[in-house]
Amino acid sequence: MSQAASFWQKYGTLAQMAQASVALLGFMAILFQINEIRSNNRATSARQAFLGYTDLAFRNPKFSAPDYEAIKKGGRDQQVQYESFVSYFLYACEEALGAFSDRREWLASCDYDLKPHLPFLCEKNQAEPGYLATYSTVTQDWVKTSLKTASVAPPDCKLGKT
């Protein structure tokens, strides 16, 4: 003499499964939002770093379009300022390329701005091999590839004909 199952007994499990599914979807939506926020923050940070570099380049045309031989003759202070300028540039490009790896225009912009600094980077890397190690492997590879492409190599570290 089995008694007929009540409505709750019949459909209660189904309701619990639906509730668990909705909770799982909500959790996945939260994870998606967190990922989007992280991505947007990285993009904003990269844009700010690159904008800071652009402002620095505007205020220091002697470093953004350098005559490296003149900078070397300009004394220690000018050399340190130029090294800091290049370091900031590499940092800004590292941030931009990390945040916008799928957008080729950022790499093209960084490539364009990197070329005049290759003689300095060649000499710096030759004198202090640990200098480039302060950047990510992606940035290190990018600089080394640019040095090869532009035929900039020790001992003279001059821009080649490309």
Side-chain angles (χ1 to χ4, degrees):
M1 321 244 142
S2 74
Q3 192 174 10
S6 72
F7 176 81
W8 296 113
Q9 290 172 329
K10 240 183 204 178
Y11 297 106
T13 304
L14 185 61
Q16 290 171 341
M17 288 176 23
Q19 183 179 14
S21 297
V22 169
L24 182 62
L25 285 173
F27 182 71
M28 289 173 47
I30 289 170
L31 291 178
F32 177 76
Q33 282 182 319
I34 289 170
N35 190 43
E36 282 298 306
I37 289 168
R38 183 181 300 129
S39 177
N40 288 341
N41 284 344
R42 185 162 191 192
T44 299
S45 175
R47 282 186 182 99
Q48 287 174 341
F50 204 82
L51 186 60
Y53 157 71
T54 303
D55 182 54
L56 192 61
F58 178 76
R59 289 186 283 121
N60 296 282
K62 67 183 176 189
F63 297 147
S64 60
D67 177 352
Y68 185 52
E69 293 303 317
I71 291 171
K72 287 194 291 188
K73 293 175 186 172
R76 175 117 175 95
D77 287 350
Q78 190 170 16
Q79 290 173 15
V80 169
Q81 287 176 324
Y82 178 64
E83 182 176 333
S84 294
F85 178 89
V86 173
S87 293
Y88 193 96
F89 163 68
L90 291 176
Y91 166 74
C93 284
E94 185 171 78
E95 287 295 306
L97 297 177
F100 306 113
S101 59
D102 58 335
R103 296 182 54 196
R104 304 292 301 160
E105 65 269 17
W106 285 94
L107 178 59
S109 178
C110 287
D111 277 341
Y112 183 82
D113 287 353
L114 177 65
K115 190 171 182 178
H117 305 296
L118 291 175
F120 163 75
L121 290 167
C122 175
E123 285 184 15
K124 187 70 172 176
N125 194 43
Q126 186 178 10
E128 297 175 43
Y131 176 76
L132 281 180
T134 62
Y135 298 96
S136 71
T137 55
V138 171
T139 300
Q140 292 174 44
D141 292 343
W142 168 59
V143 170
K144 289 175 184 176
T145 300
S146 297
L147 287 166
K148 286 179 188 173
T149 301
S151 303
V152 178
D156 62 348
C157 291
K158 303 264 187 242
L159 279 171
K161 303 262 187 219
T162 55

